[in-house]
Amino acid sequence: MALSTSALHQSYRVRAKMKPSRRRVIRVTTALLAMQAGGASISSAIAQPNQSGADKDADPNADMPDVTPPEDLMREHGVLNRVLLIYEAAMRKFAVDERFDASVITQAAEIVRDFIEDYHERNEEQQIFPRFRKAGQLLNLIDVLDQQHQAGRRLTETILNLAPQSGAPGDSRQRLIDTMRLFIAMYRPHEAREDTVLFPKLRAVVSAHEFEAMAEDFEDDEHRKFGEDGFEMMVERVAGLERALGIYDLAKFTPR
């Protein structure tokens, strides 16, 4: 009887006596399924998942490195950028008094609070910033980025408070628009500076062991807070809000 994918995952975990990262499980499972299809022994493959030439032939990506800490952080910036697009779309609708469900803004701000501020930025503050401070590098940049994290949390709290009151024109709506503008104006340069200056220099201030351990810490934290597929879940939540505002279709952004 053919083993299911879940059974293969469980067998690998038990024999390795440790919980591998999601990315490693996927790579090993792909190789095992390919070997099974070719008549190879699953039990021997599980016992020695990375030691046979057959593994490499079955999975050409077997030696591909795990997602690195900078890549993790940068793709999370992609989620933030899509929220900024949601804020901008909402402001365009406010400008022409077009009716829409204002709870979209609330849900977008909750993604910022839960995924960006309480997860992504906490990892930066606890794992990235201290290492640069210890190395004595980019200290002024680190201080500004840290201050902007605190400012961003205050702005998000204001957005969450004002969004439910923004259904009709008035002071609450205008204050909400002004707050979203401030948030966007700060975070576009904030994340751009991290992506082009801070993250590329991370390898220079940590050892190879620290770099790998940091990747595992990020993934473990994601799983604790959001489940096995936390990033994918957040991307889908953002996509749902984009659909609600009519901005999901990427082709709509192409100039004609």
Side-chain angles (χ1 to χ4, degrees):
M1 181 183 296
L3 291 176
S4 67
T5 299
S6 60
L8 290 172
H9 283 194
Q10 185 61 32
S11 296
Y12 181 79
R13 290 191 184 102
V14 171
R15 290 178 181 271
K17 296 183 180 180
M18 63 179 289
K19 181 181 178 182
S21 72
R22 177 178 63 218
R23 296 178 286 273
R24 288 177 183 147
V25 169
I26 291 172
R27 290 205 305 272
V28 170
T29 300
T30 300
L32 292 177
L33 289 174
M35 291 178 65
Q36 184 184 30
S41 168
I42 292 294
S43 60
S44 62
I46 291 174
Q48 296 179 329
N50 288 314
Q51 295 178 11
S52 72
D55 281 336
K56 293 182 180 179
D57 293 337
D59 182 10
N61 295 324
D63 293 328
M64 185 177 293
D66 286 347
V67 175
T68 64
E71 183 182 349
D72 254 342
L73 295 166
M74 287 178 181
R75 69 179 188 166
E76 288 158 10
H77 278 175
V79 173
L80 174 59
N81 254 315
R82 291 174 71 169
V83 171
L84 301 186
L85 293 173
I86 289 169
Y87 285 171
E88 288 174 336
M91 290 190 294
R92 288 195 297 272
K93 291 182 181 296
F94 282 146
V96 297
D97 201 22
E98 179 182 340
R99 296 184 63 84
F100 68 98
D101 186 356
S103 71
V104 168
I105 300 175
T106 299
Q107 294 175 65
E110 288 172 344
I111 291 172
V112 171
R113 179 194 63 197
D114 298 340
F115 189 68
I116 300 302
E117 296 171 350
D118 290 348
Y119 164 65
H120 169 91
E121 290 183 349
R122 295 297 184 194
N123 277 331
E124 290 178 340
E125 292 161 6
Q126 296 170 7
Q127 300 255 21
I128 306 295
F129 295 175
R131 286 178 163 89
F132 278 95
R133 289 191 172 112
K134 182 178 180 180
Q137 294 193 31
L138 302 179
L139 299 181
N140 290 337
L141 175 60
I142 293 295
D143 287 344
V144 173
L145 294 172
D146 204 359
Q147 291 164 10
Q148 290 182 341
H149 284 182
Q150 312 315 314
R153 290 172 184 134
R154 293 192 294 270
L155 292 173
T156 295
E157 183 178 0
T158 300
I159 291 170
L160 287 168
N161 289 334
L162 292 174
Q165 309 166 41
S166 64
D171 181 63
S172 292
R173 177 184 287 187
Q174 189 56 53
R175 287 174 57 207
L176 175 62
I177 292 171
D178 293 342
T179 304
M180 289 192 293
R181 281 183 179 145
L182 289 172
F183 189 91
I184 294 167
M186 181 178 71
Y187 268 104
R188 283 256 159 79
H190 176 99
E191 64 181 3
R193 199 64 60 89
E194 288 185 336
D195 287 348
T196 59
V197 178
L198 187 71
F199 300 158
K201 291 186 179 296
L202 182 59
R203 290 179 184 270
V205 299
V206 299
S207 66
H209 173 74
E210 284 181 295
F211 199 73
E212 182 177 352
M214 196 182 305
E216 295 298 328
D217 287 345
F218 284 0
E219 186 173 36
D220 289 344
D221 193 32
E222 177 188 327
H223 292 174
R224 281 194 301 271
K225 288 182 167 68
F226 308 110
E228 187 72 17
D229 299 311
F231 171 76
E232 291 80 3
M233 176 187 69
M234 287 299 168
V235 169
E236 188 52 41
R237 281 177 60 182
V238 169
L241 300 179
E242 291 169 337
R243 292 185 184 98
L245 290 175
I247 63 169
Y248 176 76
D249 183 2
L250 186 62
K252 289 185 176 181
F253 292 91
T254 307
R256 299 191 181 278

